[in-house]
Amino acid sequence: MAIFKMIYDLLWGDLIHIPLPGGSTLGLSLLVLILVPAGIYFTIRTRFLPFRLFPEMIRVTLENNQKGEREGISGVQALIISTACRVGMGNLVGVVAAISAGGAGAVFWMWVIALLGSSTAFIEATLAQLFKQKDPLYGGYRGGPAYYLHHLFIRKDSRRKRSVIASLFALSGLICWFGISQVTGNSISSSFENAFNIPPLYSTIALVAVAAVIVLRKNTTVKVLDVIVPIMAACYFFITVFIIIRNAPILPSVFERIFAEAFGLRQAVAGGIGAVIMNGAKRGLFSNEAGSGSAPCAAAAADISHPAKEGLLQALGVFIDTIVICTCSAMIMLLMPQGMSSGLEGMDLLQSAMRYHLGEFGVIFIAVILWLFSFSTFLGILFYARANVAYLFGDSWAAQTIYKILALIMLFIGGLAAYQFVWDLGDVGVGLMTIFNMIALIPLAPKALASLRDYERQIKGQREK
C-alpha cells in the first residue's frame, strides 16, 4: 500500500508549485507536466490541426459513415467506441466538480486543453493505424500503444515476442479498466437509487445480466454501441440546447463570467486563479483521454483507406467529448442561480440543477443519461481490452473470456459498494498508461506527421482535378 500510494502521489500529486498573484500557487502534477507540453508540441508540429483541418474532420466522418465492404469496423464505428469511453461519468459529475472547485473560469481552460489534446489524439490514433495487425480471433484488425511500443523497442529480426514497456502498458490498461468497471457499477446503482428508489442489488443484477449477454458474445459490443452512443449524446445535447434557449437572456452573462473568471483580477487577488486553471486543465485532460493510449485501441481496429483519416476522426472525438458534451454539463450548471448551488456537490448538485431547469423530469433524465454514459463506457473498455489481452496472452479465447468475466465481477461489486482503493487503482492505471504511451509518441511522431503530409497531398491533388 505504501508503494501504491507513492506511485499515486507521483502521478497525481503536485510536483511543482508556481507562485501566482494574490498568494495563490499553480500546482503541476507529473501528468500535466507531460501532457500539456506534448499537446502544445503536437499542435505546432501538425500546424494547428484542430483549427486548420476541422472541416476535413467533418467530411471524413460523413464519408466513413457510408456502408461498404470492409474488414472489421469502420472509422466512424471506432470513433463511436472511443466516444463511448470518453463520454462517461466524468462528463457529468467531473465537470460539476471542476466548476465547484475552480469556478466558471475552469470551463475556459477545459476548452483550451481539449484543443491541444486534439493534436495528441491525432498522433496516437494515426500510429495505431500504422502499426495495427490482423485479428484472428474477432476478425478485422487490432492494435494500440502496446503494438507501436513493441515496434519501437523490438527489432523485426528479434526472437522476443513481447517488449517489457509494451507489456507494462497493456497490463496498466487492464488494471485501469478493472477500476473503471467498479466505478461504472457504483455510478449506475447510485443514480437509480436516488432517482427511482431502486435498491442497488436489484439494479446491479439487471445491469450485470444485460452486460454479460452483450460482452460474452463475439461481436455484439460494436453493434450495441452503434445504437447507444449517438442516441445518448444527441439526447443530452438537445436537452441542453433546450435549456439554453429557455435561458437565452442570461447566456451573455454566463460567457462573461466564464472569461472573467478565467483571467479575472478578482480570482488572482483572492488567491484562487491556480484552482481555476488547474481544475479546468485536469478535467480537460482526463475527460478526453488524449495521450492516455486508450482511444488508439479502438482506432487500430478501423478498416480505413488512410491512417491519417482515423487520426482526424479521433481528433474530432476530443472535440465531441470536451467542447460539446462537457460544455453541456457546464451550461446546465452555470444557467442555474448561483445561490442554489451552495452546500451541494457532485451528483446532488447536478440533479438540483436539472430539477431547477426541468422539474422532476430533469432528475429522471439525468439518471437515465448517467446509466447510458456509464454502461457504454463499460462496453467500450472491454473492446479496448481485447488487443491488450491478446498482446499479453496471445490469441486465446480463454484469456479473453476470463478477463470479461472478471470485469463483470468488478461491475457487480461496484454496484453494491464503492471501494476507494479500486477507484485509486483505476487512476494509477490510467496514469501509468499515459507515461508508457508518451514514451512512444515523441520518437514515433514523425511517422504520423509523414502520414498527415501524404494525406494532405492526396486531398490537394483531388481538389486540383
Side-chain angles (χ1 to χ4, degrees):
M1 288 299 294
I3 294 172
F4 176 81
K5 187 178 185 305
M6 183 180 70
I7 296 172
Y8 181 90
D9 291 340
L10 176 65
L11 294 170
W12 296 89
D14 294 335
L15 292 184
I16 297 176
H17 291 86
I18 301 173
L20 296 173
S24 177
T25 59
L26 183 63
L28 302 176
S29 68
L30 177 62
L31 294 177
V32 170
L33 287 169
I34 291 173
L35 288 171
V36 172
I40 295 171
Y41 172 72
F42 291 135
T43 300
I44 294 170
R45 290 297 308 274
T46 58
R47 294 179 294 132
F48 299 90
L49 175 143
F51 308 95
R52 190 169 57 86
L53 292 178
F54 187 78
E56 184 64 16
M57 294 179 198
I58 302 298
R59 192 194 70 76
V60 171
T61 303
L62 296 175
E63 171 192 291
N64 277 274
N65 204 30
Q66 298 170 359
K67 292 184 178 180
E69 291 294 325
R70 59 173 63 92
E71 288 188 73
I73 64 176
S74 70
V76 168
Q77 285 175 318
L79 171 61
I80 286 172
I81 294 165
S82 61
T83 300
C85 294
R86 288 186 176 114
V87 177
M89 190 178 179
N91 295 77
L92 299 174
V93 180
V95 173
V96 173
I99 294 173
S100 299
V107 177
F108 173 82
W109 295 107
M110 185 177 70
W111 293 338
V112 171
I113 293 299
L115 293 173
L116 296 176
S118 291
S119 300
T120 305
F122 171 84
I123 297 293
E124 61 183 359
T126 304
L127 288 176
Q129 273 287 307
L130 289 170
F131 297 105
K132 67 186 180 183
Q133 298 180 356
K134 287 276 191 179
D135 187 344
L137 287 179
Y138 292 95
Y141 300 93
R142 68 183 178 208
Y147 294 79
Y148 53 72
L149 277 163
H150 181 93
H151 171 84
L152 182 63
F153 289 104
I154 303 292
R155 297 195 313 268
K156 284 186 177 180
D157 58 351
S158 174
R159 293 184 179 181
R160 292 172 57 194
K161 293 184 177 180
R162 294 174 186 84
S163 154
V164 173
I165 299 296
S167 298
L168 287 172
F169 172 87
L171 184 61
S172 299
L174 297 181
I175 290 171
C176 168
W177 298 323
F178 267 145
I180 293 175
S181 298
Q182 193 239 349
V183 174
T184 297
N186 188 258
S187 302
I188 292 173
S189 65
S190 298
S191 65
F192 268 57
E193 187 176 24
N194 292 338
F196 307 112
N197 293 316
I198 298 174
L201 178 62
Y202 299 152
S203 60
T204 302
I205 290 173
L207 170 68
V208 173
V210 172
V213 169
I214 295 170
V215 302
L216 294 177
R217 298 180 66 185
K218 185 176 179 181
N219 281 318
T220 306
T221 298
V222 176
K223 295 175 183 177
V224 173
L225 288 176
D226 270 351
V227 176
I228 291 179
V229 174
I231 290 174
M232 74 181 190
C235 286
Y236 194 55
F237 175 73
F238 286 117
I239 283 288
T240 306
V241 169
F242 174 73
I243 291 171
I244 290 171
I245 292 172
R246 284 188 62 186
N247 294 274
I250 63 172
L251 194 60
S253 64
V254 168
F255 279 100
E256 182 183 350
R257 183 182 162 200
I258 289 172
F259 289 104
E261 292 190 17
F263 300 101
L265 283 176
R266 180 173 67 81
Q267 282 69 33
V269 172
I273 192 69
V276 172
I277 295 172
M278 288 316 300
N279 278 284
K282 287 178 180 177
R283 176 47 41 208
L285 285 172
F286 302 111
S287 174
N288 60 55
E289 297 184 355
S292 73
S294 293
C297 298
D303 182 7
I304 198 164
S305 60
H306 197 286
K309 285 187 175 182
E310 187 59 34
L312 292 172
L313 285 168
Q314 294 300 328
L316 181 64
V318 173
F319 178 90
I320 293 169
D321 171 83
T322 307
I323 305 297
V324 178
I325 303 297
C326 284
T327 301
C328 286
S329 299
M331 286 299 147
I332 290 170
M333 288 291 309
L334 297 175
L335 289 169
M336 178 178 69
Q338 286 181 257
M340 293 185 65
S341 61
S342 59
L344 297 174
E345 59 182 25
M347 199 64 194
D348 291 336
L349 183 52
L350 184 59
Q351 287 181 327
S352 295
M354 289 300 287
R355 182 180 284 111
Y356 169 78
H357 292 301
L358 301 172
E360 288 305 313
F361 168 77
V363 178
I364 295 171
F365 173 79
I366 209 68
V368 173
I369 282 294
L370 179 60
W371 191 96
L372 290 171
F373 278 18
S374 300
F375 185 63
S376 63
T377 296
F378 178 75
L379 297 182
I381 60 176
L382 284 186
F383 186 93
Y384 287 172
R386 289 181 182 180
N388 294 280
V389 170
Y391 185 80
L392 290 173
F393 303 106
D395 298 318
S396 165
W397 278 117
Q400 295 283 342
T401 305
I402 288 170
Y403 185 81
K404 290 175 183 179
I405 291 171
L406 290 174
L408 288 166
I409 292 171
M410 291 300 294
L411 185 69
F412 182 79
I413 292 171
L416 300 183
Y419 295 96
Q420 186 60 43
F421 173 76
V422 181
W423 288 57
D424 293 343
L425 194 67
D427 287 340
V428 167
V430 75
L432 291 174
M433 286 170 64
T434 304
I435 300 294
F436 297 133
N437 184 44
M438 295 307 296
I439 289 172
L441 289 196
I442 299 296
L444 291 178
K447 294 184 180 294
L449 295 168
S451 180
L452 176 61
R453 289 192 295 271
D454 178 70
Y455 179 68
E456 290 193 87
R457 281 194 296 269
Q458 288 185 23
I459 59 176
K460 184 179 178 181
Q462 290 171 1
R463 288 169 185 166
E464 287 175 352
K465 289 180 182 179

